[in-house]
Every structure is written in structure tokens, then in C-alpha cells.
């Protein structure tokens, strides 16, 4: 009997994303689980300190559109249906926690850069996801 029924793979859109996606697809296949692909676009105001007195709506919309296009490509490549592709705007940790509850996720899969020892998770998005989610988290080491 599978341990996990619903997996959420939360990726950034760098060239390292396929490493995480490959592991997530492998896990979903071995568990016979549903795979949900997610990317969180951080609000432009956060990146620029939030104090810029200009309308950044168009830039935010462009980032959102580019993320959706890339997620669609990954979805097609990894056999993830359109309804299981989620692009959302916010803080990555908070949005992943919300998606876990909203979709009754059993396992979150995230990438983590190869620091040594306990620092593997410290200070990273993976750490934020780990400390606050109500399900298991698999941090895939990115080489």
C-alpha cells in the first residue's frame, strides 16, 4: 500500500529544476501517487524593498506569465496535467504551506543546494517549508 497519495513538487525555474522533477516523478510513479507541480512567484515589491513609488503590476504580470509558460513546458515533459500545475504569488514557504492544506498533500518535494551537514537546510526555502508544514518534506540535493 502506498505511503503517499498526493505529492507537491515545488520548484524554482532554474536549470536545476529537472533534478527535482526527476526525483518527484520517480516518487510519484513508485507510490502510484498524484503529482502536483507548483512554482511561487515572489511579489516584485519584496525584491525591490517595497518602497518604490511606481506601479510594478506590468512587471509582476510578465513574471507570472513567464512562470506559467515554463510550468506548462515542464508539465508536458513530465506528464503533469494542466489542472495539477499551480503558479501562485507570495512568499514561497507560506504558499507551499497553503497548497499543502488546500490539496491535502502527503509529501512536499523541494530542491536544496548542497551545503554540508545541518546547513543543507538552514536559511533556505527548503528550511521554511520544512518548519511549518503538516506533512513530510523531501529535500532533493541539487548538484
Amino acid at each position: 500500500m502506498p505511503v503517499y497519495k498526493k505529492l507537491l513538487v515545488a520548484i524554482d525555474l532554474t536549470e536545476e529544476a529537472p533534478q527535482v522533477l526527476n526525483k518527484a516523478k520517480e516518487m510519484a510513479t513508485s507510490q502510484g501517487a498524484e503529482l502536483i507541480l507548483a512554482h511561487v512567484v515572489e511579489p516584485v515589491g519584496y525584491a525591490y524593498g517595497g518602497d518604490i513609488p511606481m506601479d510594478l503590476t506590468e512587471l509582476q504580470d510578465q513574471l507570472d506569465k513567464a512562470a506559467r509558460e515554463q510550468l506548462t513546458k515542464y508539465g508536458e515533459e513530465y506528464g503533469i496535467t494542466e489542472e495539477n500545475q499551480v503558479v501562485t504569488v507570495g512568499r514561497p514557504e507560506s504558499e507551499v504551506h497553503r497548497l499543502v492544506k488546500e490539496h491535502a498533500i502527503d509529501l512536499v518535494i523541494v530542491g536544496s543546494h548542497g551545503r554540508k551537514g545541518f546547513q543543507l537546510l538552514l536559511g533556505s526555502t527548503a528550511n521554511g517549508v520544512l518548519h511549518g508544514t503538516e506533512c513530510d518534506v523531501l529535500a532533493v540535493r541539487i548538484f
Side-chain angles (χ1 to χ4, degrees), residues 1 34 50 56 60 103 107 116 131 135-136 138 142:
M1 180 173 184
E34 180 180 0
L56 299 172
Q60 189 73 55
H103 294 277
L107 176 68
K116 295 187 178 189
H131 297 289
C135 68
D136 292 344
L138 172 65
I142 297 173

Side-chain angles (χ1 to χ4, degrees), residues 34-104:
E34 180 180 0
L35 186 58
I36 297 172
L37 175 60
H39 174 71
V40 180
V41 178
E42 292 194 59
V44 176
Y46 287 167
Y48 296 101
D51 295 333
I52 298 177
M54 63 169 64
D55 184 7
L56 299 172
T57 305
E58 186 175 326
L59 177 58
Q60 189 73 55
D61 290 345
Q62 289 174 352
L63 292 172
D64 187 67
K65 181 181 179 206
R68 288 180 192 285
E69 289 172 358
Q70 185 61 49
L71 222 61
T72 297
K73 289 178 186 175
Y74 282 137
E76 290 170 358
E77 183 177 345
Y78 289 88
I80 301 168
T81 62
E82 189 175 336
E83 57 270 4
N84 279 358
Q85 299 171 28
V86 180
V87 174
T88 184
V89 176
R91 294 193 57 223
E93 303 87 357
S94 300
E95 288 301 300
V96 169
H97 295 160
R98 182 184 63 77
L99 291 170
V100 163
K101 290 177 182 174
E102 187 175 298
H103 294 277

